[in-house]
Amino acid sequence: MVQSYVLGFPRIGPNRELKKATEGYWNGKVSGEQLQQVAKDIKASNWKLQKDAGVDVIASNDFSFYDQVLDLSLLFNVIPQRYSKYELSPLDTYFAMARGLQRKATDSAAAVDVPALEMVKWFDSNYHYVRPTFSNSTEFKLNGQKPVDEFLEAKQLGVETRPVLVGPVSFLHLGKSDKDSADLDPISLLDKILPLYAQILKKLADAGAKSVQFDEPTLVLDLPAEVQAAFNKAYSYLASQEGLPEITLATYFGTVVPNLSALKGLPVAGFHFDFVRNPEQLDDVISILNDKQTLSVGIVDGRNIWKNNFTNSVKFVESAIAKLSSDRVLVSTSSSLLHTPVNLDNETKLNPEIKDWFAFATQKVSEVVNIAKKLSGEDVSAAFEANAKSLNNRATSSITNNAEVKARVASINESMGQRASPFLQRIKEQEQILKLPLFPTTTIGSFPQTKDIRINRNKFTKGTISREQYEQFINEEIERVIRFQEEIDLDVLVHGEPERNDMVQFFGEQLEGYAFTVNGWVQSYGSRYVRPPIIVGDLSRPKAMSVKEVVYAQSITQRPVKGMLTGPVTCLRWSFPRDDVDQKTQAYQLALAIRDEVSDLEAAGIKVIQVDEPAVREGLPLRAGQERTEYYNWSAESFRVATSVVTNKTQIHSHFCYSDLDPNHIKALDADVVSIEFSKKDDPNYILQFANYPNHSGLGLFDIHSPRIPSKEEFIQKMEQFLKYYPAEKFWVNPDCGLKTRGWEETKATLTNMVNAAKHFRQIY
Ligand code: GLN
Ligand code: ZN
């Protein structure tokens, strides 16, 4: 019999229950017990859903209040002293590490003021994890037993589960050393951390767990020799301990072939690999299995929403069975289903023709089961016939093709991706028009998305207020934001993006070739979820998308207002892309649509246009090589095609966040000014890399994920630190990212301090 296996299920709840509960807890409106109860209900319903669907191997500990990597930091007491010193409850310590905490003193508790830990992209996904932050003073010990608790929770419900943990090598390698321990290489902590893994595994075994899943996705990266060697050491150690559960080592999002020697001979019970991404690795990985190890064949895509091709999947798994026999092969999701929306059945507004092409997490669970059943000789012919029919409908649908768009993409030439003059000429012309002071101040685009904004948007969507009423409301909001920025004396203003639900969805909704869900939420980080639009066909822009609001904003102020667009790569990366057309082609289709928008903004008198590309880095292929070089080229070119339509006088800005960036990649975009998330980067080497960036840039000065308010002195200190390496003439002053998740109060205070710090330096320079 071939078993079915799901590596993890979305934790947000079918109706975003977790978001409401955690945010309520942060606001003091939901108690700790209530929050735990919501979590319990979500877990219970996830397990039940999978059990009822007939999944053989169901994960536990895939739930998290914020992030599964941070869970492990808490479990192993990898808690920097600046958090532990307040003696908060474990849950509050956890949230303080996740998002920072600033709290006034009360009768019973001292004041708290601590920024969040660094948060970075989870491989090439739009999920973010909180980086384990190690110090020489880290005191490794078990702190609670979350994996055991969750295993027991499931067991009580009659569901036998396989607990999932990030494995030791990935946990260390994905972490970093804290400021006080600059020379500490996290991988050197392996000996200290392994006994903790053994302890938690022992507890799991005592609780009745027969097997665990260890996620070691770092195996799809280029790894230094000592990290490669760490695998053997780690898994040999765990194998030498008595009475632990069996370990399945799971990787995903890439090929492991370049690291095959690190995997070979590892004493684990089985492996899981991602064959959606890299089907060609099958023979290589089979060649390293011993004659007992199992192979989990990740064949149902955990990263996209397209229906699986049952016939192809069966054929693929059969080729593995032919070499290994059916009791050593499992059919599984390529990764956790965390990256897919919960349930397609909740989609009431999708065109039924298009809806029939999709599978969300709930549907994917059934796909895994159906494929496994077929391979086990069960009769699932009805499901297979329906699947074949859906696939055929999609392949032959007229929705996917637009000949005009195809022709325009084919006509893109080099000059379309080049500004009229080099930067030094352009900036001169721009300075004559903009007349900005030294250390110009600006923000990244969005201002707080208040409850009022959301209520009005909902009313408009539901039709309870008219378009005129809604636009009136938006204009009032824009005016408020403009007046505020004038009042605190920012130099380059923004309209605040109140009309935008999301930076990709907003544009996607106005493009042809996109489809939208009403409930297709996916966790991006913590309580922040996104609802990625779905690219279903060739993309085009029927009419201007953003001009009206920006022009209104510019009409009520003398200061320059930045037009605000989302770049082609970010639109692509934060959508579910097509799987029938390559990503480069989709990026160029988007680039042409944005190019038309840039051109319209310029024609409407907008002097500064920002085209955000926060996702440009996450699209980088995980390993060095030809694919990565190609990506560098087409991602940069698509940005240039989108922006180079303007004259020298129009200043093009771009913005990047969420990841360590490569200045050379940014340089290839040739934007006049870039703003970069930077507030949590204190590594001088990283700053140094930007010292020679040829155009202007603003290294983000404060963390917008946190409600914390840095003082003017803190800004001055930070700027001083940057000024050691970075020339004043190119120095822009701005936050890390947009302010839409912040409240007004902290936004006002923080931006005021930031502007005053810029003024301080204007007096010195
Ligand atoms: N302009 C967007 C904003 O300010 C940029 C968001 C982002 O980079 N994620 O919200
Ligand atoms: Zn950003």
Side-chain angles (χ1 to χ4, degrees), residues 443-447 496-497 500 503 564-566 570 574 610 612-615 655-658 736-740:
T443 61
I444 308 306
S446 58
F447 269 76
E497 306 179 24
R500 302 185 188 178
M503 64 188 290
M564 196 59 63
L565 303 173
T566 306
T570 300
W574 291 356
Q610 178 170 310
D612 292 323
E613 280 292 24
H655 164 71
F656 311 95
C657 53
Y658 292 133
D736 265 356
C737 189
L739 298 160
K740 65 168 167 258

Side-chain angles (χ1 to χ4, degrees), residues 69-98 114 117 130-144 171 178 180 193 196:
V69 185
L70 183 63
D71 290 349
L72 215 51
S73 293
L74 189 78
L75 181 70
F76 293 156
N77 204 42
V78 182
I79 303 174
Q81 212 255 326
R82 56 186 174 281
Y83 302 97
S84 55
K85 72 175 184 197
Y86 294 112
E87 295 181 351
L88 300 164
S89 72
L91 189 62
D92 288 345
T93 306
Y94 174 83
F95 285 137
M97 297 198 310
V114 63
L117 286 176
V130 178
R131 277 187 99 175
T133 304
F134 302 99
S135 156
N136 290 320
S137 61
T138 303
E139 188 198 334
F140 291 98
K141 62 174 186 194
L142 277 195
N143 206 342
F171 179 64
D178 210 349
D180 64 358
I193 206 134
L196 297 185

Side-chain angles (χ1 to χ4, degrees), residues 310-440:
F310 282 0
T311 312
N312 288 353
S313 295
V314 166
K315 243 187 256 158
F316 188 85
V317 184
E318 273 171 346
S319 66
I321 293 173
K323 294 190 174 158
L324 297 170
S325 85
S326 55
D327 52 346
R328 285 177 58 201
V329 173
L330 296 93
V331 171
S332 54
T333 53
S334 65
S335 64
S336 166
L337 295 173
L338 176 68
H339 313 285
T340 59
V342 178
N343 192 350
L344 184 63
D345 294 344
N346 294 340
E347 295 308 324
T348 46
K349 296 229 169 92
L350 274 174
N351 169 352
E353 182 186 350
I354 296 176
K355 184 174 174 180
D356 181 51
W357 305 341
F358 301 156
F360 290 0
T362 306
Q363 289 68 39
K364 284 170 188 284
V365 165
S366 298
E367 291 189 335
V368 170
V369 172
N370 275 319
I371 297 166
K373 279 189 177 163
K374 170 81 179 177
L375 289 158
S376 305
E378 286 185 47
D379 179 14
V380 280
S381 48
F384 271 65
E385 274 158 34
N387 178 265
K389 206 168 141 210
S390 303
L391 295 178
N392 186 53
N393 288 346
R394 180 181 167 208
T396 53
S397 167
S398 61
I399 294 174
T400 48
N401 292 300
N402 180 333
E404 217 176 295
V405 173
K406 287 198 169 80
R408 204 171 162 212
V409 169
S411 75
I412 292 177
N413 57 32
E414 212 177 307
S415 75
M416 281 171 80
Q418 249 167 20
R419 297 286 295 269
S421 307
F423 173 72
L424 288 176
Q425 174 60 31
R426 300 193 311 253
I427 194 74
K428 265 191 234 138
E429 297 184 34
Q430 292 161 16
E431 274 164 356
Q432 275 166 16
I433 294 175
L434 297 172
K435 301 197 172 45
L436 297 171
L438 209 51
F439 300 103

